[in-house]
Amino acid sequence: MMKETQREWRLTTRKITFERARIMAILNATPDSFSDGGRFFDLSSKNGIIDLNVLEDVAAQLVRDGADIFDVGGESTRPGAEPIDASEELRRVIPVVRALTRFNLPISIDTYRPEVAEAALDAGAEIVNDISAGRYVSRDDRFALVDERRSEEMAQVVVRKRAAVVIMHMRGAPKTMQTNLRPYDSGVVQETLDFLRQRRAAFVEAGVEPDRIALDPGLGFGKSYEDNFAILRNAGVFRSLGSPLLVGHSRKSFLRETAARYDVARNVAPDANVARLDALTAQTSVALVARGVDILRVHNVAATALALELARRAGAFES
């Protein structure tokens, strides 16, 4: 029997309910993210200082557009990205988290480092969005194997700070995850499901309350073009684990490739500019909500919010 998905997600100071899908707005405090790197940086400065006035203007517009959550990231996790050290990540994200607290929206910190998560939670964040699903081992600076015996460092941070957490599936590490892709032994959907079940159980065993956990199947993280669509078609399967489901599909390469294939079939030059990618993201958002996804992590909040409103009015889904 499928476990009923919880309809509330408990954060540090509040709860998020899912009478409708929620939109998580991406705010990358990075100079090199794949589609919006450097958005808030004064690149003329030697150290790349973040312009908080620009950031706050953008954040205010995201709130008007319909954002429900801010997601702050300080390290690019695009395929092939070089990692940065914890001190640089902290330098980038902590001022951003502090600046965003004035908007009274829940803030998520997109990090796999426990020390960065803890500092961001102290600065006002309430959610840890961990692409490694707690597998990063600080003392060794590596991503551990799933079945390896070790201290659950990230889970312990979440417990101490009474935070919420997003546990994501990723095969490999960002720098190499899209090189030498190989088929999933039991199929990408089943293997991702098994991984998320195992890591969710590990967080609960470490003391994280189940209603503080959300799950993300990790589109684009160690997955081929067809793998991503298998995840999309079967998104509802992950609800069987009982946690809210988050999907980050915004401007990803499988959307770009779909547009290119479509253009080639029509014998026109491929075109995948940001506006078109945002339209494709919004269209995909509607399909995901129809399959039971609770949280959509996107760059262009307005486009997705409008697409969901049109779909709701047309009867595609209740929320």
Side-chain angles (χ1 to χ4, degrees), residues 24-29 55 70-75 89 92-94 96-97 100 107-111 129 297:
M24 176 181 276
I26 298 169
L27 287 165
N28 282 322
L55 171 80
F70 291 131
D71 189 49
V72 177
E75 177 177 335
E89 188 178 1
R92 295 175 182 180
V93 301
I94 298 305
V96 172
V97 171
L100 293 174
I107 300 168
S108 165
I109 178 66
D110 180 0
T111 186
N129 185 7
R297 182 179 180 273

Side-chain angles (χ1 to χ4, degrees), residues 111-262:
T111 186
Y112 54 81
R113 292 187 175 91
E115 63 268 41
V116 174
E118 187 152 17
L121 294 170
D122 286 341
E126 299 190 52
I127 303 163
V128 178
N129 185 7
D130 184 358
I131 64 166
S132 81
R135 294 184 300 114
Y136 180 74
V137 183
S138 294
R139 65 181 179 274
D140 299 330
D141 190 26
R142 66 186 176 90
F143 295 106
L145 298 174
V146 176
D147 57 357
E148 191 174 88
R149 299 295 298 178
R150 68 190 186 284
S151 172
E152 292 284 353
E153 297 177 64
M154 186 64 88
Q156 291 164 9
V157 170
V158 172
V159 171
R160 280 199 303 274
K161 299 300 178 181
R162 299 182 63 78
V165 64
V166 180
I167 298 171
M168 194 193 83
H169 174 269
M170 173 178 63
R171 187 164 68 173
K175 184 177 179 179
T176 58
M177 64 189 176
Q178 292 303 107
T179 60
N180 299 318
L181 286 174
R182 55 183 172 79
Y184 286 81
D185 294 338
S186 55
V188 66
V189 174
Q190 187 62 50
E191 197 163 318
T192 301
L193 184 68
D194 291 344
F195 174 91
L196 292 175
R197 180 185 292 112
Q198 185 173 4
R199 294 306 300 148
R200 182 183 186 276
F203 270 71
V204 171
E205 185 177 355
V208 178
E209 295 160 301
D211 63 354
R212 295 185 185 274
I213 298 172
L215 304 174
D216 179 354
L219 291 175
F221 284 81
K223 297 175 180 70
S224 69
Y225 179 78
E226 294 299 338
D227 288 338
N228 287 314
F229 278 104
I231 294 288
L232 288 173
R233 288 192 300 272
N234 294 280
V237 170
F238 301 101
R239 292 174 61 85
S240 67
L241 299 177
S243 293
L245 183 60
L246 181 152
V247 173
H249 54 299
S250 185
R251 299 180 183 173
K252 291 214 166 164
S253 60
F254 74 93
L255 298 178
R256 186 184 303 274
E257 184 172 346
T258 300
R261 292 184 181 196
Y262 178 75

